[in-house]
mmCIF file with all atom_site columns, all heavy atoms in Angstrom:
data_model
loop_
_atom_site.group_PDB
_atom_site.id
_atom_site.type_symbol
_atom_site.label_atom_id
_atom_site.label_alt_id
_atom_site.label_comp_id
_atom_site.label_asym_id
_atom_site.label_entity_id
_atom_site.label_seq_id
_atom_site.pdbx_PDB_ins_code
_atom_site.Cartn_x
_atom_site.Cartn_y
_atom_site.Cartn_z
_atom_site.occupancy
_atom_site.B_iso_or_equiv
_atom_site.pdbx_formal_charge
_atom_site.auth_seq_id
_atom_site.auth_comp_id
_atom_site.auth_asym_id
_atom_site.auth_atom_id
_atom_site.pdbx_PDB_model_num
ATOM 1   N N   . LEU A 1 43  ? -29.664 -23.116 0.244   1.00 0.00 ? 43  LEU A N   1
ATOM 2   C CA  . LEU A 1 43  ? -28.281 -23.021 0.528   1.00 0.00 ? 43  LEU A CA  1
ATOM 3   C C   . LEU A 1 43  ? -27.869 -23.806 1.720   1.00 0.00 ? 43  LEU A C   1
ATOM 4   O O   . LEU A 1 43  ? -26.768 -24.536 1.674   1.00 0.00 ? 43  LEU A O   1
ATOM 5   C CB  . LEU A 1 43  ? -27.818 -21.539 0.782   1.00 0.00 ? 43  LEU A CB  1
ATOM 6   C CG  . LEU A 1 43  ? -26.384 -21.148 0.958   1.00 0.00 ? 43  LEU A CG  1
ATOM 7   C CD1 . LEU A 1 43  ? -25.649 -21.724 -0.171  1.00 0.00 ? 43  LEU A CD1 1
ATOM 8   C CD2 . LEU A 1 43  ? -26.315 -19.648 1.070   1.00 0.00 ? 43  LEU A CD2 1
ATOM 9   N N   . ARG A 1 44  ? -28.548 -23.756 2.840   1.00 0.00 ? 44  ARG A N   1
ATOM 10  C CA  . ARG A 1 44  ? -28.216 -24.451 4.071   1.00 0.00 ? 44  ARG A CA  1
ATOM 11  C C   . ARG A 1 44  ? -28.271 -25.914 3.821   1.00 0.00 ? 44  ARG A C   1
ATOM 12  O O   . ARG A 1 44  ? -27.391 -26.763 4.303   1.00 0.00 ? 44  ARG A O   1
ATOM 13  C CB  . ARG A 1 44  ? -29.152 -24.089 5.071   1.00 0.00 ? 44  ARG A CB  1
ATOM 14  C CG  . ARG A 1 44  ? -28.868 -22.766 5.639   1.00 0.00 ? 44  ARG A CG  1
ATOM 15  C CD  . ARG A 1 44  ? -30.044 -22.060 6.503   1.00 0.00 ? 44  ARG A CD  1
ATOM 16  N NE  . ARG A 1 44  ? -29.435 -20.862 7.018   1.00 0.00 ? 44  ARG A NE  1
ATOM 17  C CZ  . ARG A 1 44  ? -29.031 -20.846 8.248   1.00 0.00 ? 44  ARG A CZ  1
ATOM 18  N NH1 . ARG A 1 44  ? -28.892 -21.812 9.095   1.00 0.00 ? 44  ARG A NH1 1
ATOM 19  N NH2 . ARG A 1 44  ? -28.569 -19.604 8.719   1.00 0.00 ? 44  ARG A NH2 1
ATOM 20  N N   . ALA A 1 51  ? -20.924 -31.058 3.247   1.00 0.00 ? 51  ALA A N   1
ATOM 21  C CA  . ALA A 1 51  ? -19.858 -30.982 4.316   1.00 0.00 ? 51  ALA A CA  1
ATOM 22  C C   . ALA A 1 51  ? -19.082 -32.230 4.391   1.00 0.00 ? 51  ALA A C   1
ATOM 23  O O   . ALA A 1 51  ? -17.880 -32.209 4.479   1.00 0.00 ? 51  ALA A O   1
ATOM 24  C CB  . ALA A 1 51  ? -20.613 -30.725 5.697   1.00 0.00 ? 51  ALA A CB  1
ATOM 25  N N   . HIS A 1 130 ? -16.318 -1.973  -5.695  1.00 0.00 ? 130 HIS A N   1
ATOM 26  C CA  . HIS A 1 130 ? -15.280 -1.613  -6.866  1.00 0.00 ? 130 HIS A CA  1
ATOM 27  C C   . HIS A 1 130 ? -13.934 -2.130  -6.629  1.00 0.00 ? 130 HIS A C   1
ATOM 28  O O   . HIS A 1 130 ? -13.072 -2.011  -7.552  1.00 0.00 ? 130 HIS A O   1
ATOM 29  C CB  . HIS A 1 130 ? -15.222 -0.055  -6.867  1.00 0.00 ? 130 HIS A CB  1
ATOM 30  C CG  . HIS A 1 130 ? -16.599 0.577   -7.000  1.00 0.00 ? 130 HIS A CG  1
ATOM 31  N ND1 . HIS A 1 130 ? -17.398 0.530   -8.267  1.00 0.00 ? 130 HIS A ND1 1
ATOM 32  C CD2 . HIS A 1 130 ? -17.264 1.224   -6.124  1.00 0.00 ? 130 HIS A CD2 1
ATOM 33  C CE1 . HIS A 1 130 ? -18.403 1.203   -7.905  1.00 0.00 ? 130 HIS A CE1 1
ATOM 34  N NE2 . HIS A 1 130 ? -18.463 1.565   -6.672  1.00 0.00 ? 130 HIS A NE2 1
ATOM 35  N N   . ARG A 1 143 ? -16.257 -24.693 -1.402  1.00 0.00 ? 143 ARG A N   1
ATOM 36  C CA  . ARG A 1 143 ? -16.837 -25.852 -0.764  1.00 0.00 ? 143 ARG A CA  1
ATOM 37  C C   . ARG A 1 143 ? -17.479 -26.729 -1.833  1.00 0.00 ? 143 ARG A C   1
ATOM 38  O O   . ARG A 1 143 ? -17.357 -28.001 -1.808  1.00 0.00 ? 143 ARG A O   1
ATOM 39  C CB  . ARG A 1 143 ? -17.854 -25.588 0.277   1.00 0.00 ? 143 ARG A CB  1
ATOM 40  C CG  . ARG A 1 143 ? -17.227 -25.068 1.537   1.00 0.00 ? 143 ARG A CG  1
ATOM 41  C CD  . ARG A 1 143 ? -18.196 -24.753 2.517   1.00 0.00 ? 143 ARG A CD  1
ATOM 42  N NE  . ARG A 1 143 ? -17.440 -24.626 3.785   1.00 0.00 ? 143 ARG A NE  1
ATOM 43  C CZ  . ARG A 1 143 ? -17.032 -25.515 4.677   1.00 0.00 ? 143 ARG A CZ  1
ATOM 44  N NH1 . ARG A 1 143 ? -17.434 -26.729 4.529   1.00 0.00 ? 143 ARG A NH1 1
ATOM 45  N NH2 . ARG A 1 143 ? -16.217 -25.278 5.578   1.00 0.00 ? 143 ARG A NH2 1
ATOM 46  N N   . GLU A 1 195 ? 3.815   -10.813 3.726   1.00 0.00 ? 195 GLU A N   1
ATOM 47  C CA  . GLU A 1 195 ? 3.476   -11.775 4.800   1.00 0.00 ? 195 GLU A CA  1
ATOM 48  C C   . GLU A 1 195 ? 2.470   -12.724 4.316   1.00 0.00 ? 195 GLU A C   1
ATOM 49  O O   . GLU A 1 195 ? 2.331   -13.842 4.935   1.00 0.00 ? 195 GLU A O   1
ATOM 50  C CB  . GLU A 1 195 ? 2.894   -10.873 6.049   1.00 0.00 ? 195 GLU A CB  1
ATOM 51  C CG  . GLU A 1 195 ? 4.120   -10.383 6.876   1.00 0.00 ? 195 GLU A CG  1
ATOM 52  C CD  . GLU A 1 195 ? 3.876   -9.012  7.169   1.00 0.00 ? 195 GLU A CD  1
ATOM 53  O OE1 . GLU A 1 195 ? 2.788   -8.588  7.736   1.00 0.00 ? 195 GLU A OE1 1
ATOM 54  O OE2 . GLU A 1 195 ? 4.869   -8.212  6.967   1.00 0.00 ? 195 GLU A OE2 1
ATOM 55  N N   . GLU A 1 281 ? -17.706 -17.213 11.599  1.00 0.00 ? 281 GLU A N   1
ATOM 56  C CA  . GLU A 1 281 ? -17.975 -15.890 12.172  1.00 0.00 ? 281 GLU A CA  1
ATOM 57  C C   . GLU A 1 281 ? -18.577 -14.898 11.129  1.00 0.00 ? 281 GLU A C   1
ATOM 58  O O   . GLU A 1 281 ? -19.473 -14.200 11.521  1.00 0.00 ? 281 GLU A O   1
ATOM 59  C CB  . GLU A 1 281 ? -16.644 -15.387 12.790  1.00 0.00 ? 281 GLU A CB  1
ATOM 60  C CG  . GLU A 1 281 ? -17.014 -14.075 13.680  1.00 0.00 ? 281 GLU A CG  1
ATOM 61  C CD  . GLU A 1 281 ? -15.726 -13.551 14.441  1.00 0.00 ? 281 GLU A CD  1
ATOM 62  O OE1 . GLU A 1 281 ? -14.995 -14.434 14.989  1.00 0.00 ? 281 GLU A OE1 1
ATOM 63  O OE2 . GLU A 1 281 ? -15.554 -12.373 14.421  1.00 0.00 ? 281 GLU A OE2 1
ATOM 64  N N   . ARG A 1 289 ? -26.328 -8.875  10.952  1.00 0.00 ? 289 ARG A N   1
ATOM 65  C CA  . ARG A 1 289 ? -26.549 -7.752  10.055  1.00 0.00 ? 289 ARG A CA  1
ATOM 66  C C   . ARG A 1 289 ? -27.999 -7.768  9.491   1.00 0.00 ? 289 ARG A C   1
ATOM 67  O O   . ARG A 1 289 ? -28.755 -6.721  9.361   1.00 0.00 ? 289 ARG A O   1
ATOM 68  C CB  . ARG A 1 289 ? -25.446 -7.575  9.048   1.00 0.00 ? 289 ARG A CB  1
ATOM 69  C CG  . ARG A 1 289 ? -24.857 -6.206  8.860   1.00 0.00 ? 289 ARG A CG  1
ATOM 70  C CD  . ARG A 1 289 ? -23.882 -6.024  7.908   1.00 0.00 ? 289 ARG A CD  1
ATOM 71  N NE  . ARG A 1 289 ? -22.624 -6.288  8.469   1.00 0.00 ? 289 ARG A NE  1
ATOM 72  C CZ  . ARG A 1 289 ? -21.654 -7.165  8.123   1.00 0.00 ? 289 ARG A CZ  1
ATOM 73  N NH1 . ARG A 1 289 ? -21.949 -8.098  7.154   1.00 0.00 ? 289 ARG A NH1 1
ATOM 74  N NH2 . ARG A 1 289 ? -20.610 -7.272  8.812   1.00 0.00 ? 289 ARG A NH2 1
ATOM 75  N N   . VAL A 1 308 ? -28.676 10.259  16.636  1.00 0.00 ? 308 VAL A N   1
ATOM 76  C CA  . VAL A 1 308 ? -27.259 10.550  16.899  1.00 0.00 ? 308 VAL A CA  1
ATOM 77  C C   . VAL A 1 308 ? -26.891 11.757  16.022  1.00 0.00 ? 308 VAL A C   1
ATOM 78  O O   . VAL A 1 308 ? -26.205 12.616  16.539  1.00 0.00 ? 308 VAL A O   1
ATOM 79  C CB  . VAL A 1 308 ? -26.437 9.270   16.482  1.00 0.00 ? 308 VAL A CB  1
ATOM 80  C CG1 . VAL A 1 308 ? -24.933 9.630   16.449  1.00 0.00 ? 308 VAL A CG1 1
ATOM 81  C CG2 . VAL A 1 308 ? -26.829 8.204   17.479  1.00 0.00 ? 308 VAL A CG2 1
ATOM 82  N N   . ALA A 1 311 ? -27.374 14.942  17.527  1.00 0.00 ? 311 ALA A N   1
ATOM 83  C CA  . ALA A 1 311 ? -26.559 15.183  18.734  1.00 0.00 ? 311 ALA A CA  1
ATOM 84  C C   . ALA A 1 311 ? -27.348 14.939  19.995  1.00 0.00 ? 311 ALA A C   1
ATOM 85  O O   . ALA A 1 311 ? -27.056 15.541  21.044  1.00 0.00 ? 311 ALA A O   1
ATOM 86  C CB  . ALA A 1 311 ? -25.902 16.599  18.677  1.00 0.00 ? 311 ALA A CB  1
ATOM 87  N N   . TYR A 1 316 ? -22.471 5.067   21.065  1.00 0.00 ? 316 TYR A N   1
ATOM 88  C CA  . TYR A 1 316 ? -22.349 3.924   21.906  1.00 0.00 ? 316 TYR A CA  1
ATOM 89  C C   . TYR A 1 316 ? -23.693 3.459   22.444  1.00 0.00 ? 316 TYR A C   1
ATOM 90  O O   . TYR A 1 316 ? -24.138 2.367   22.519  1.00 0.00 ? 316 TYR A O   1
ATOM 91  C CB  . TYR A 1 316 ? -21.254 4.088   22.892  1.00 0.00 ? 316 TYR A CB  1
ATOM 92  C CG  . TYR A 1 316 ? -19.880 3.887   22.376  1.00 0.00 ? 316 TYR A CG  1
ATOM 93  C CD1 . TYR A 1 316 ? -19.198 4.982   21.774  1.00 0.00 ? 316 TYR A CD1 1
ATOM 94  C CD2 . TYR A 1 316 ? -19.252 2.658   22.384  1.00 0.00 ? 316 TYR A CD2 1
ATOM 95  C CE1 . TYR A 1 316 ? -17.901 4.875   21.167  1.00 0.00 ? 316 TYR A CE1 1
ATOM 96  C CE2 . TYR A 1 316 ? -18.044 2.597   21.868  1.00 0.00 ? 316 TYR A CE2 1
ATOM 97  C CZ  . TYR A 1 316 ? -17.469 3.622   21.274  1.00 0.00 ? 316 TYR A CZ  1
ATOM 98  O OH  . TYR A 1 316 ? -16.189 3.563   20.750  1.00 0.00 ? 316 TYR A OH  1
ATOM 99  N N   . ASP A 1 320 ? -26.019 0.226   21.925  1.00 0.00 ? 320 ASP A N   1
ATOM 100 C CA  . ASP A 1 320 ? -26.615 -0.576  23.060  1.00 0.00 ? 320 ASP A CA  1
ATOM 101 C C   . ASP A 1 320 ? -28.154 -0.808  22.804  1.00 0.00 ? 320 ASP A C   1
ATOM 102 O O   . ASP A 1 320 ? -28.662 -1.844  22.926  1.00 0.00 ? 320 ASP A O   1
ATOM 103 C CB  . ASP A 1 320 ? -26.410 0.106   24.324  1.00 0.00 ? 320 ASP A CB  1
ATOM 104 C CG  . ASP A 1 320 ? -24.960 0.155   25.008  1.00 0.00 ? 320 ASP A CG  1
ATOM 105 O OD1 . ASP A 1 320 ? -24.228 -0.748  24.468  1.00 0.00 ? 320 ASP A OD1 1
ATOM 106 O OD2 . ASP A 1 320 ? -24.675 0.896   25.770  1.00 0.00 ? 320 ASP A OD2 1
ATOM 107 N N   . LEU B 1 43  ? -14.736 5.465   27.877  1.00 0.00 ? 43  LEU B N   1
ATOM 108 C CA  . LEU B 1 43  ? -15.041 5.850   26.458  1.00 0.00 ? 43  LEU B CA  1
ATOM 109 C C   . LEU B 1 43  ? -16.542 6.160   26.410  1.00 0.00 ? 43  LEU B C   1
ATOM 110 O O   . LEU B 1 43  ? -16.886 7.212   25.644  1.00 0.00 ? 43  LEU B O   1
ATOM 111 C CB  . LEU B 1 43  ? -14.683 4.719   25.516  1.00 0.00 ? 43  LEU B CB  1
ATOM 112 C CG  . LEU B 1 43  ? -14.915 4.881   24.049  1.00 0.00 ? 43  LEU B CG  1
ATOM 113 C CD1 . LEU B 1 43  ? -14.282 6.227   23.602  1.00 0.00 ? 43  LEU B CD1 1
ATOM 114 C CD2 . LEU B 1 43  ? -14.422 3.674   23.293  1.00 0.00 ? 43  LEU B CD2 1
ATOM 115 N N   . ARG B 1 44  ? -17.472 5.383   26.895  1.00 0.00 ? 44  ARG B N   1
ATOM 116 C CA  . ARG B 1 44  ? -18.907 5.532   26.771  1.00 0.00 ? 44  ARG B CA  1
ATOM 117 C C   . ARG B 1 44  ? -19.284 6.813   27.402  1.00 0.00 ? 44  ARG B C   1
ATOM 118 O O   . ARG B 1 44  ? -20.076 7.676   26.980  1.00 0.00 ? 44  ARG B O   1
ATOM 119 C CB  . ARG B 1 44  ? -19.655 4.370   27.372  1.00 0.00 ? 44  ARG B CB  1
ATOM 120 C CG  . ARG B 1 44  ? -19.695 3.298   26.450  1.00 0.00 ? 44  ARG B CG  1
ATOM 121 C CD  . ARG B 1 44  ? -20.012 1.999   27.175  1.00 0.00 ? 44  ARG B CD  1
ATOM 122 N NE  . ARG B 1 44  ? -20.067 0.900   26.177  1.00 0.00 ? 44  ARG B NE  1
ATOM 123 C CZ  . ARG B 1 44  ? -21.188 0.545   25.556  1.00 0.00 ? 44  ARG B CZ  1
ATOM 124 N NH1 . ARG B 1 44  ? -22.227 1.200   25.842  1.00 0.00 ? 44  ARG B NH1 1
ATOM 125 N NH2 . ARG B 1 44  ? -21.009 -0.263  24.659  1.00 0.00 ? 44  ARG B NH2 1
ATOM 126 N N   . ALA B 1 51  ? -21.604 14.192  23.002  1.00 0.00 ? 51  ALA B N   1
ATOM 127 C CA  . ALA B 1 51  ? -22.690 14.239  22.008  1.00 0.00 ? 51  ALA B CA  1
ATOM 128 C C   . ALA B 1 51  ? -23.367 15.568  21.665  1.00 0.00 ? 51  ALA B C   1
ATOM 129 O O   . ALA B 1 51  ? -23.541 15.947  20.645  1.00 0.00 ? 51  ALA B O   1
ATOM 130 C CB  . ALA B 1 51  ? -23.682 13.070  22.316  1.00 0.00 ? 51  ALA B CB  1
ATOM 131 N N   . HIS B 1 130 ? -2.077  -3.691  7.392   1.00 0.00 ? 130 HIS B N   1
ATOM 132 C CA  . HIS B 1 130 ? -1.072  -3.185  6.501   1.00 0.00 ? 130 HIS B CA  1
ATOM 133 C C   . HIS B 1 130 ? -1.542  -2.293  5.490   1.00 0.00 ? 130 HIS B C   1
ATOM 134 O O   . HIS B 1 130 ? -0.812  -1.604  4.705   1.00 0.00 ? 130 HIS B O   1
ATOM 135 C CB  . HIS B 1 130 ? -0.440  -4.430  5.764   1.00 0.00 ? 130 HIS B CB  1
ATOM 136 C CG  . HIS B 1 130 ? 0.098   -5.457  6.699   1.00 0.00 ? 130 HIS B CG  1
ATOM 137 N ND1 . HIS B 1 130 ? 1.264   -5.217  7.605   1.00 0.00 ? 130 HIS B ND1 1
ATOM 138 C CD2 . HIS B 1 130 ? -0.341  -6.645  6.976   1.00 0.00 ? 130 HIS B CD2 1
ATOM 139 C CE1 . HIS B 1 130 ? 1.360   -6.302  8.296   1.00 0.00 ? 130 HIS B CE1 1
ATOM 140 N NE2 . HIS B 1 130 ? 0.444   -7.197  8.034   1.00 0.00 ? 130 HIS B NE2 1
ATOM 141 N N   . ARG B 1 143 ? -15.275 12.844  16.472  1.00 0.00 ? 143 ARG B N   1
ATOM 142 C CA  . ARG B 1 143 ? -16.279 13.455  17.323  1.00 0.00 ? 143 ARG B CA  1
ATOM 143 C C   . ARG B 1 143 ? -15.642 14.403  18.378  1.00 0.00 ? 143 ARG B C   1
ATOM 144 O O   . ARG B 1 143 ? -16.183 15.341  18.848  1.00 0.00 ? 143 ARG B O   1
ATOM 145 C CB  . ARG B 1 143 ? -16.965 12.290  18.122  1.00 0.00 ? 143 ARG B CB  1
ATOM 146 C CG  . ARG B 1 143 ? -18.040 11.636  17.247  1.00 0.00 ? 143 ARG B CG  1
ATOM 147 C CD  . ARG B 1 143 ? -18.766 10.629  17.948  1.00 0.00 ? 143 ARG B CD  1
ATOM 148 N NE  . ARG B 1 143 ? -19.919 10.239  17.027  1.00 0.00 ? 143 ARG B NE  1
ATOM 149 C CZ  . ARG B 1 143 ? -21.026 10.925  17.002  1.00 0.00 ? 143 ARG B CZ  1
ATOM 150 N NH1 . ARG B 1 143 ? -21.201 11.772  17.887  1.00 0.00 ? 143 ARG B NH1 1
ATOM 151 N NH2 . ARG B 1 143 ? -21.867 10.471  16.136  1.00 0.00 ? 143 ARG B NH2 1
ATOM 152 N N   . GLY B 1 161 ? -6.346  0.133   -0.774  1.00 0.00 ? 161 GLY B N   1
ATOM 153 C CA  . GLY B 1 161 ? -7.375  -0.617  -0.134  1.00 0.00 ? 161 GLY B CA  1
ATOM 154 C C   . GLY B 1 161 ? -8.784  0.161   -0.019  1.00 0.00 ? 161 GLY B C   1
ATOM 155 O O   . GLY B 1 161 ? -9.051  0.824   -1.021  1.00 0.00 ? 161 GLY B O   1
ATOM 156 N N   . GLU B 1 195 ? -16.390 7.674   -7.886  1.00 0.00 ? 195 GLU B N   1
ATOM 157 C CA  . GLU B 1 195 ? -17.696 7.836   -7.165  1.00 0.00 ? 195 GLU B CA  1
ATOM 158 C C   . GLU B 1 195 ? -17.601 8.412   -5.845  1.00 0.00 ? 195 GLU B C   1
ATOM 159 O O   . GLU B 1 195 ? -18.519 9.049   -5.509  1.00 0.00 ? 195 GLU B O   1
ATOM 160 C CB  . GLU B 1 195 ? -18.328 6.486   -7.176  1.00 0.00 ? 195 GLU B CB  1
ATOM 161 C CG  . GLU B 1 195 ? -19.092 6.094   -8.603  1.00 0.00 ? 195 GLU B CG  1
ATOM 162 C CD  . GLU B 1 195 ? -18.766 4.799   -9.066  1.00 0.00 ? 195 GLU B CD  1
ATOM 163 O OE1 . GLU B 1 195 ? -19.011 3.816   -8.350  1.00 0.00 ? 195 GLU B OE1 1
ATOM 164 O OE2 . GLU B 1 195 ? -18.274 4.649   -10.220 1.00 0.00 ? 195 GLU B OE2 1
ATOM 165 N N   . GLU B 1 281 ? -23.760 0.907   13.733  1.00 0.00 ? 281 GLU B N   1
ATOM 166 C CA  . GLU B 1 281 ? -23.829 -0.580  13.269  1.00 0.00 ? 281 GLU B CA  1
ATOM 167 C C   . GLU B 1 281 ? -22.416 -1.201  13.627  1.00 0.00 ? 281 GLU B C   1
ATOM 168 O O   . GLU B 1 281 ? -22.382 -2.349  14.097  1.00 0.00 ? 281 GLU B O   1
ATOM 169 C CB  . GLU B 1 281 ? -24.270 -0.736  11.881  1.00 0.00 ? 281 GLU B CB  1
ATOM 170 C CG  . GLU B 1 281 ? -24.482 -2.209  11.567  1.00 0.00 ? 281 GLU B CG  1
ATOM 171 C CD  . GLU B 1 281 ? -25.128 -2.469  10.118  1.00 0.00 ? 281 GLU B CD  1
ATOM 172 O OE1 . GLU B 1 281 ? -26.083 -1.644  9.825   1.00 0.00 ? 281 GLU B OE1 1
ATOM 173 O OE2 . GLU B 1 281 ? -24.667 -3.315  9.429   1.00 0.00 ? 281 GLU B OE2 1
ATOM 174 N N   . ARG B 1 289 ? -18.817 -9.230  18.120  1.00 0.00 ? 289 ARG B N   1
ATOM 175 C CA  . ARG B 1 289 ? -17.699 -9.942  17.897  1.00 0.00 ? 289 ARG B CA  1
ATOM 176 C C   . ARG B 1 289 ? -16.941 -10.188 19.246  1.00 0.00 ? 289 ARG B C   1
ATOM 177 O O   . ARG B 1 289 ? -16.434 -11.119 19.488  1.00 0.00 ? 289 ARG B O   1
ATOM 178 C CB  . ARG B 1 289 ? -16.739 -9.043  17.067  1.00 0.00 ? 289 ARG B CB  1
ATOM 179 C CG  . ARG B 1 289 ? -16.041 -10.037 15.985  1.00 0.00 ? 289 ARG B CG  1
ATOM 180 C CD  . ARG B 1 289 ? -15.266 -9.152  14.927  1.00 0.00 ? 289 ARG B CD  1
ATOM 181 N NE  . ARG B 1 289 ? -16.042 -8.759  13.797  1.00 0.00 ? 289 ARG B NE  1
ATOM 182 C CZ  . ARG B 1 289 ? -16.217 -7.604  13.437  1.00 0.00 ? 289 ARG B CZ  1
ATOM 183 N NH1 . ARG B 1 289 ? -15.651 -6.582  14.043  1.00 0.00 ? 289 ARG B NH1 1
ATOM 184 N NH2 . ARG B 1 289 ? -16.837 -7.276  12.390  1.00 0.00 ? 289 ARG B NH2 1
ATOM 185 N N   . VAL B 1 308 ? -16.105 -28.207 11.829  1.00 0.00 ? 308 VAL B N   1
ATOM 186 C CA  . VAL B 1 308 ? -16.314 -27.864 10.371  1.00 0.00 ? 308 VAL B CA  1
ATOM 187 C C   . VAL B 1 308 ? -15.189 -28.247 9.637   1.00 0.00 ? 308 VAL B C   1
ATOM 188 O O   . VAL B 1 308 ? -15.280 -28.938 8.555   1.00 0.00 ? 308 VAL B O   1
ATOM 189 C CB  . VAL B 1 308 ? -16.651 -26.333 10.223  1.00 0.00 ? 308 VAL B CB  1
ATOM 190 C CG1 . VAL B 1 308 ? -16.573 -25.913 8.750   1.00 0.00 ? 308 VAL B CG1 1
ATOM 191 C CG2 . VAL B 1 308 ? -17.952 -25.946 10.839  1.00 0.00 ? 308 VAL B CG2 1
ATOM 192 N N   . ALA B 1 311 ? -15.012 -31.728 8.607   1.00 0.00 ? 311 ALA B N   1
ATOM 193 C CA  . ALA B 1 311 ? -16.152 -32.114 7.676   1.00 0.00 ? 311 ALA B CA  1
ATOM 194 C C   . ALA B 1 311 ? -17.286 -32.746 8.447   1.00 0.00 ? 311 ALA B C   1
ATOM 195 O O   . ALA B 1 311 ? -18.040 -33.402 7.731   1.00 0.00 ? 311 ALA B O   1
ATOM 196 C CB  . ALA B 1 311 ? -15.639 -32.926 6.567   1.00 0.00 ? 311 ALA B CB  1
ATOM 197 N N   . TYR B 1 316 ? -22.813 -23.099 8.055   1.00 0.00 ? 316 TYR B N   1
ATOM 198 C CA  . TYR B 1 316 ? -23.997 -22.480 8.392   1.00 0.00 ? 316 TYR B CA  1
ATOM 199 C C   . TYR B 1 316 ? -24.710 -23.005 9.613   1.00 0.00 ? 316 TYR B C   1
ATOM 200 O O   . TYR B 1 316 ? -25.140 -22.190 10.475  1.00 0.00 ? 316 TYR B O   1
ATOM 201 C CB  . TYR B 1 316 ? -25.116 -22.540 7.147   1.00 0.00 ? 316 TYR B CB  1
ATOM 202 C CG  . TYR B 1 316 ? -24.810 -21.690 6.053   1.00 0.00 ? 316 TYR B CG  1
ATOM 203 C CD1 . TYR B 1 316 ? -23.912 -22.102 4.994   1.00 0.00 ? 316 TYR B CD1 1
ATOM 204 C CD2 . TYR B 1 316 ? -25.388 -20.466 6.079   1.00 0.00 ? 316 TYR B CD2 1
ATOM 205 C CE1 . TYR B 1 316 ? -23.560 -21.170 4.035   1.00 0.00 ? 316 TYR B CE1 1
ATOM 206 C CE2 . TYR B 1 316 ? -25.049 -19.530 4.895   1.00 0.00 ? 316 TYR B CE2 1
ATOM 207 C CZ  . TYR B 1 316 ? -24.205 -19.865 3.974   1.00 0.00 ? 316 TYR B CZ  1
ATOM 208 O OH  . TYR B 1 316 ? -23.812 -19.113 2.920   1.00 0.00 ? 316 TYR B OH  1
ATOM 209 N N   . ASP B 1 320 ? -25.169 -21.023 13.186  1.00 0.00 ? 320 ASP B N   1
ATOM 210 C CA  . ASP B 1 320 ? -26.559 -21.005 13.931  1.00 0.00 ? 320 ASP B CA  1
ATOM 211 C C   . ASP B 1 320 ? -26.223 -21.407 15.412  1.00 0.00 ? 320 ASP B C   1
ATOM 212 O O   . ASP B 1 320 ? -26.652 -20.776 16.284  1.00 0.00 ? 320 ASP B O   1
ATOM 213 C CB  . ASP B 1 320 ? -27.480 -22.099 13.381  1.00 0.00 ? 320 ASP B CB  1
ATOM 214 C CG  . ASP B 1 320 ? -28.151 -21.722 12.150  1.00 0.00 ? 320 ASP B CG  1
ATOM 215 O OD1 . ASP B 1 320 ? -27.980 -20.528 11.738  1.00 0.00 ? 320 ASP B OD1 1
ATOM 216 O OD2 . ASP B 1 320 ? -28.647 -22.581 11.428  1.00 0.00 ? 320 ASP B OD2 1
#
Side-chain angles (χ1 to χ4, degrees):
Chain A
L43 183 57
R44 284 161 175 269
H130 307 286
R143 287 183 167 269
E195 276 132 56
E281 194 171 314
R289 223 177 272 124
V308 169
Y316 284 85
D320 287 344
Chain B
L43 182 55
R44 283 160 175 271
H130 308 286
R143 286 182 168 274
E195 276 132 56
E281 194 171 315
R289 224 178 269 123
V308 169
Y316 283 85
D320 288 344

